[in-house]
Structure formats: C-alpha cells, structure tokens
Amino acid sequence: MNDPRILVIFGLFFVALGGYNLVVGRRRLRAQPGMRPLQQVNILTGSEYLLLALVFFISALARTTLLPSSVTPYLFGASFALLIISLVLAVMVVRMATRGRAVPRQGVGEAAVASGGDQARSGSQTLETVESDPELEAARRRERRRRRLEHRRRMAEQRRRRAGKA
C-alpha cells in the first residue's frame, strides 16, 4: 500500500460510499421529521466513510514528493486524529445498531415502559408496565396469527387479480 495511486483509488471508493450513505440518510431524515441527524445511522456511516477517505488522501499525499519532508509528521498526526474520530463514529453506529435490535417491537396498543409514575422521558407520555400474563400472551399470539393470515389472504387476492384469475 505504498503506491499513492492505490490509496487514491481507495479514497475515491470511500468517497462514493460516504456520499451514497449521506444521501440515503438525508432522505430518511426527511421522511422522519422529528429525528436528529446524529440519530440516523446512514449519516454517521457516511461521515465515517468520508473521514476514512480523507485518511487515504492524506496518506497518499504524504507518500508523494509534492510536499516538503518536514510536513510529513504533521500529516501522519492529522491522519491519526481522523482515524480516532472515525473510530468514535464507528462505535456510535455499532452501539445504535445493537441498541435498536435489543428492544422488542411492540404494537400500538402493546407499548410498555418501565413504571415511573410521573416521570416522562423527552416529552412523551409514560405508560404503565404490562405484567407478563400467560393468557394475555396467548391472546396476543392469536391476534398476530389472525393478522398474518388476513394479510396473506389479501396478498393472494391481489396476485389473483393481477393475473386476471379473480
């Protein structure tokens, strides 16, 4: 990896990846107006890719003879700082991804939050804790199964209609 041309190619690849992730993240932010940019995984990932591209470009610049040799240690220090910032962004992305999957999905009427009485988190209303009741769980399973079957039936009807058989 001492050839600056290879480093520039890798840098351009990461610029393309970062740009794509930033565009997708911006679209998702527009779709969800209440979300902050630092909550959007694609924006964080795109920023991380752009920082890594900068590291590749700085490394390629340091390996050429365009700059005096006295500047090279500063370039490597700057690339190290960019790598540390990129590492922080990567940790944030992984943390957000694992935190998002650890929380089970809940339906509209099934939302449960730890009981805290009058405590409200960020302006949202608090909900009471739903105790795990076997009968309640069985009723939820039956309702989910009924919804799935209804959805499958509707999708089959749509397929038949499109095929001209209904």
Side-chain angles (χ1 to χ4, degrees):
M1 275 263 202
N2 286 333
D3 189 8
R5 292 175 294 193
I6 294 175
L7 292 172
V8 168
I9 290 172
F10 275 113
L12 291 174
F13 178 72
F14 275 99
V15 165
L17 280 175
Y20 173 75
N21 275 308
L22 286 175
V23 167
V24 170
R26 182 145 173 136
R27 284 184 191 156
R28 290 187 179 173
L29 273 179
R30 286 183 183 162
Q32 299 174 349
M35 183 177 274
R36 294 188 319 245
L38 290 179
Q39 291 176 330
Q40 180 52 249
V41 176
N42 289 88
I43 289 181
L44 291 175
T45 305
S47 303
E48 178 187 354
Y49 285 154
L50 290 178
L51 287 173
L52 289 174
L54 250 146
V55 169
F56 280 118
F57 290 143
I58 288 174
S59 181
L61 186 63
R63 295 185 195 293
T64 62
T65 57
L66 296 174
L67 297 174
S69 60
S70 62
V71 178
T72 305
Y74 297 114
L75 288 178
F76 283 121
S79 67
F80 185 72
L82 289 174
L83 281 174
I84 296 297
I85 295 169
S86 180
L87 175 70
V88 168
L89 286 175
V91 167
M92 287 174 63
V93 167
V94 168
R95 192 165 172 238
M96 286 174 67
T98 56
R99 184 180 60 201
R101 290 200 178 125
V103 177
R105 285 190 166 183
Q106 297 170 343
V108 176
E110 302 173 8
V113 176
S115 63
D118 299 331
Q119 298 174 350
R121 276 193 284 182
S122 68
S124 66
Q125 68 185 57
T126 58
L127 302 173
E128 296 177 4
T129 304
V130 177
E131 308 249 331
S132 60
D133 184 19
E135 292 176 14
L136 186 60
E137 291 297 320
R140 286 182 183 162
R141 279 195 301 273
R142 282 193 303 271
E143 180 63 22
R144 278 194 301 259
R145 185 166 191 267
R146 187 192 61 78
R147 285 185 197 156
R148 269 195 321 265
L149 290 174
E150 180 66 24
H151 177 72
R152 288 179 186 164
R153 185 187 58 76
R154 277 183 285 161
M155 297 307 284
E157 284 176 7
Q158 283 182 354
R159 283 192 302 271
R160 283 193 295 272
R161 250 184 274 127
R162 275 189 240 129
K165 296 181 181 180

